[in-house]
Amino acid sequence: MPSSSWKGYLTFGLISIPVRLSPAARTERVSFNQIHKVCHTRLKQPLFCPECNRMVERNEVEKGYEYEKGQYMLFTQEEIEEVEPETARTMDILEFVKLDEIDPVYFDASYYMTPEDAGQRAYHLLTTAMEKSGYAGIAKIAMHNREYIVIIRPREHGLTLHTMFYTNEIRPAADYGHTDKAEVKPQESTLAEQLIESLAAPFQPEKYHDTYQESLHKLIEAKSSGRKITALPHAAKAPVIDLMEALKKSLASKQGAPAASKPSVVRATSKSESATKKGRKAG
């Protein structure tokens, strides 16, 4: 069983359901360490106390709030737990909203919500009712020293929880959404809609892959075998000047394109192959 990020009760009305949260996703990426260029030793960032002039163990660490420059109030974990809000142990569903009314820009991290044995029946009752109604629940939960507003929604016959950004955390962008400066012709709009339709497909996330990470893995594998990676060319891009012409060409290429395009491949070239090619060029 995956480790729990939070354990407590989900409540709506007078019904309480014991549940636990576990992360629904995590980023998978190649991780590089920082290496000292001189001796090729991995660099570390230890806990160091400049006053005592020595390294510090984890069990010597306290939490401190800087109320003035260089002046700290110290707190124990017990003191912090004493001021935990009720949402640290119970999340009440405050209201239900239509799922399609929620702007995805507010979504942050995702968690699977699973019931404890005593809450199985009530959990499935709530899940089924939400699936049929199309509603998602809005609740509050405290974890990681912060209180979150969360969305609880049904997914694959279970409940998924998403922490959300607060409104003041959504950053505005200059000129975002303003299209009144550019006039769109009806013919251009029609061709753009046709191009969208030609690219339309069911959402299948398993089709998509992180090609950059795949290339990094191939680079690591090639380098460990003494081979060299052939750099992939990058096509030069420029702003479109004639929208109508670009739309027409895009539609024509989609209509004449094969059903599936071949994925790009990063090819590893051995040192001997590189030497042979250089010899041919010299000759």
Side-chain angles (χ1 to χ4, degrees):
M1 178 182 292
S3 59
S4 299
S5 301
W6 185 92
K7 287 178 66 176
Y9 286 86
L10 170 66
T11 69
F12 70 109
L14 298 176
I15 298 175
S16 296
I17 310 169
V19 296
R20 65 174 66 216
L21 300 180
S22 59
R26 67 177 182 181
T27 302
E28 295 285 351
R29 59 166 61 100
V30 172
S31 178
F32 291 104
N33 295 309
Q34 291 182 313
I35 304 298
H36 190 192
K37 192 174 183 179
V38 175
C39 63
H40 295 171
T41 302
R42 180 181 173 183
L43 299 175
K44 298 182 179 180
Q45 195 166 3
L47 293 169
F48 178 79
C49 177
E51 179 69 23
C52 300
N53 194 30
R54 67 177 178 85
M55 301 302 180
V56 175
E57 299 295 331
R58 287 284 178 186
N59 59 10
E60 297 180 78
V61 178
E62 288 184 308
K63 292 182 184 291
Y65 174 78
E66 187 176 26
Y67 62 94
E68 287 182 12
K69 185 66 175 178
Q71 299 296 313
Y72 297 89
M73 283 185 286
L74 302 179
F75 296 90
T76 64
Q77 187 60 37
E78 290 74 19
E79 287 175 320
I80 294 173
E81 289 176 357
E82 285 177 359
V83 297
E84 282 183 343
E86 182 63 26
T87 48
R89 296 173 177 81
T90 303
M91 57 174 144
D92 296 318
I93 293 181
L94 307 174
E95 57 189 4
F96 288 94
V97 300
K98 283 293 186 180
L99 189 57
D100 57 9
E101 293 180 3
I102 303 171
D103 187 340
V105 75
Y106 285 94
F107 282 49
D108 186 13
S110 301
Y111 296 84
Y112 292 129
M113 182 187 294
T114 53
E116 305 287 10
D117 291 341
Q120 291 275 359
R121 189 163 178 270
Y123 175 91
H124 289 296
L125 170 66
L126 176 60
T127 303
T128 302
M130 291 174 70
E131 285 175 333
K132 290 181 178 179
S133 65
Y135 278 100
I138 305 286
K140 270 191 172 184
I141 179 177
M143 58 180 178
H144 311 315
N145 295 327
R146 183 184 173 182
E147 191 169 55
Y148 294 89
I149 192 76
V150 297
I151 293 291
I152 301 167
R153 67 180 182 92
R155 177 182 176 275
E156 296 182 355
H157 308 302
L159 294 178
T160 301
L161 179 145
H162 306 277
T163 57
M164 292 185 63
F165 293 110
Y166 286 97
T167 303
N168 64 301
E169 294 177 313
I170 303 299
R171 299 179 180 181
D175 295 328
Y176 175 78
H178 296 291
T179 57
D180 53 343
K181 297 177 182 178
E183 183 182 350
V184 177
K185 298 176 182 177
Q187 302 97 316
E188 293 172 340
S189 182
T190 300
L191 285 174
E193 290 172 16
Q194 291 176 3
L195 180 57
I196 290 171
E197 285 295 332
S198 71
L199 290 166
F203 179 57
Q204 297 174 319
E206 64 275 7
K207 294 192 301 186
Y208 310 112
H209 303 276
D210 188 338
T211 54
Y212 187 25
Q213 288 293 299
E214 290 172 354
S215 296
L216 284 175
H217 281 293
K218 290 175 182 176
L219 173 63
I220 292 168
E221 182 184 350
K223 190 151 190 171
S224 66
S225 305
R227 294 176 290 155
K228 181 178 175 59
I229 290 288
T230 301
L232 290 176
H234 294 280
K237 299 287 184 181
V240 174
I241 304 301
D242 190 334
L243 272 177
M244 284 292 289
E245 187 64 22
L247 286 166
K248 289 176 181 177
K249 287 183 178 179
S250 298
L251 271 172
S253 66
K254 288 304 298 178
Q255 291 166 355
S261 58
K262 294 182 180 179
S264 59
V265 176
V266 177
R267 188 170 64 87
T269 307
S270 66
K271 290 181 178 178
S272 59
E273 288 177 328
S274 299
T276 303
K277 286 181 180 179
K278 287 180 181 178
R280 286 175 183 168
K281 286 182 179 179

